[in-house]
Amino acid sequence: NAGVTQTPKFQVLKTGQSMTLQCAQDMNHEYMSWYRQDPGMGLRLIHYSVGAGITDQGEVPNGYNVSRSTTEDFPLRLLSAAPSQTSVYFCASRGQNSGNTIYFGEGSWLTVV
Amino acid sequence: GDSVTQMEGPVTLSEEAFLTINCTYTATGYPSLFWYVQYPGEGLQLLLKATKADDKGSNKGFEATYRKETTSFHLEKGSVQVSDSAVYFCALGYSGAGSYQLTFGKGTKLSVIP
């Protein structure tokens, strides 16, 4: 019973590098999203998707890119990492069969130096 | 816009003490309300939820009542344990156009000491 799986769990990047945070869910959920968590800020929505081929911006989308080629996967790309992107990233999903409950992955701790 | 305000932490309690974490919200519609918990080094887990006014959510000895008249969803537990040490997030959410977005409070860190 995997649920929402994120990789990697920890990553250190140099400023200017690019990388992709992977997110996969095995619950056939239509809706997936990415949040970042910063001290004293709670969680803020970066991007979300309501289904394969459909993505949209959340509250803090700048510096991030997403795609949704399949129902299962929703990768988050950092195009040119900046220290301000040091954060904990959470992927989440929800489906019609889960009511209004959103399920979160275990998080990815990213440090940009 | 919508927002969630939680009491600031950290909160430190002795084991078996009574816990209240205040949460109030502003909303343009009729959201569902949630409490999520994050244990050290882990992701967020849904603790409890309420989908309409006067509903009470409960789980693991925690409970919260959706109070529309006071726009509140305070989290309570009668007797906390060391294992309850975590960060607690209050959130509200709507469904619309196939999406479901949550607005979170800033989180309240709870430490329970033996």
Side-chain angles (χ1 to χ4, degrees):
Chain A
N1 192 10
V4 180
T5 303
Q6 291 182 232
T7 56
K9 185 152 188 175
F10 299 99
Q11 182 72 49
V12 178
L13 285 179
K14 293 183 179 178
T15 298
Q17 285 185 315
S18 63
M19 78 156 296
T20 299
L21 299 177
Q22 302 291 345
C23 176
Q25 52 88 11
D26 61 357
M27 298 173 281
N28 201 32
H29 284 173
E30 299 85 8
Y31 175 72
M32 296 184 75
S33 55
W34 278 101
Y35 291 83
R36 59 177 290 173
Q37 181 186 23
D38 301 294
M41 300 289 289
L43 278 80
R44 294 179 292 170
L45 183 66
I46 304 171
H47 285 285
Y48 66 96
S49 167
V50 300
I54 306 170
T55 64
D56 207 345
Q57 296 180 349
E59 180 185 355
V60 287
N62 293 340
Y64 307 95
N65 205 357
V66 292
S67 59
R68 184 92 181 273
S69 56
T70 67
T71 299
E72 293 79 19
D73 300 301
F74 190 46
L76 178 72
R77 296 183 186 86
L78 282 71
L79 306 173
S80 177
S84 61
Q85 294 178 302
T86 294
S87 188
V88 184
Y89 292 86
F90 288 99
C91 181
S93 75
R94 169 190 173 261
Q96 291 185 357
N97 58 357
S98 68
N100 56 7
T101 299
I102 293 182
Y103 295 89
F104 285 84
E106 293 189 343
S108 296
W109 275 254
L110 176 66
T111 302
V112 182
V113 297
Chain B
D2 298 337
S3 66
V4 176
T5 302
Q6 288 180 237
M7 65 183 288
E8 293 193 14
V11 174
T12 302
L13 294 174
S14 297
E15 208 165 20
E16 299 184 0
F18 184 85
L19 168 71
T20 299
I21 300 178
N22 289 338
C23 172
T24 58
Y25 67 91
T26 59
T28 54
Y30 301 96
S32 295
L33 300 175
F34 305 85
W35 277 101
Y36 279 84
V37 58
Q38 183 181 30
Y39 298 103
E42 299 184 11
L44 276 74
Q45 303 173 26
L46 179 65
L47 180 59
L48 53 85
K49 66 179 181 181
T51 57
K52 62 182 186 298
D54 299 326
D55 270 3
K56 178 186 283 187
S58 61
N59 187 25
K60 299 181 180 180
F62 291 89
E63 56 183 37
T65 301
Y66 190 162
R67 301 283 188 203
K68 189 168 180 288
E69 64 277 13
T70 55
T71 61
S72 65
F73 193 54
H74 304 321
L75 182 69
E76 296 181 337
K77 186 174 185 181
S79 176
V80 294
Q81 306 300 313
V82 172
S83 57
D84 294 326
S85 297
V87 180
Y88 293 82
F89 292 92
C90 185
L92 66 82
Y94 297 98
S95 59
S99 71
Y100 203 95
Q101 299 184 20
L102 292 175
T103 299
F104 284 89
K106 294 183 178 181
T108 303
K109 183 176 182 180
L110 170 67
S111 297
V112 180
I113 55 177

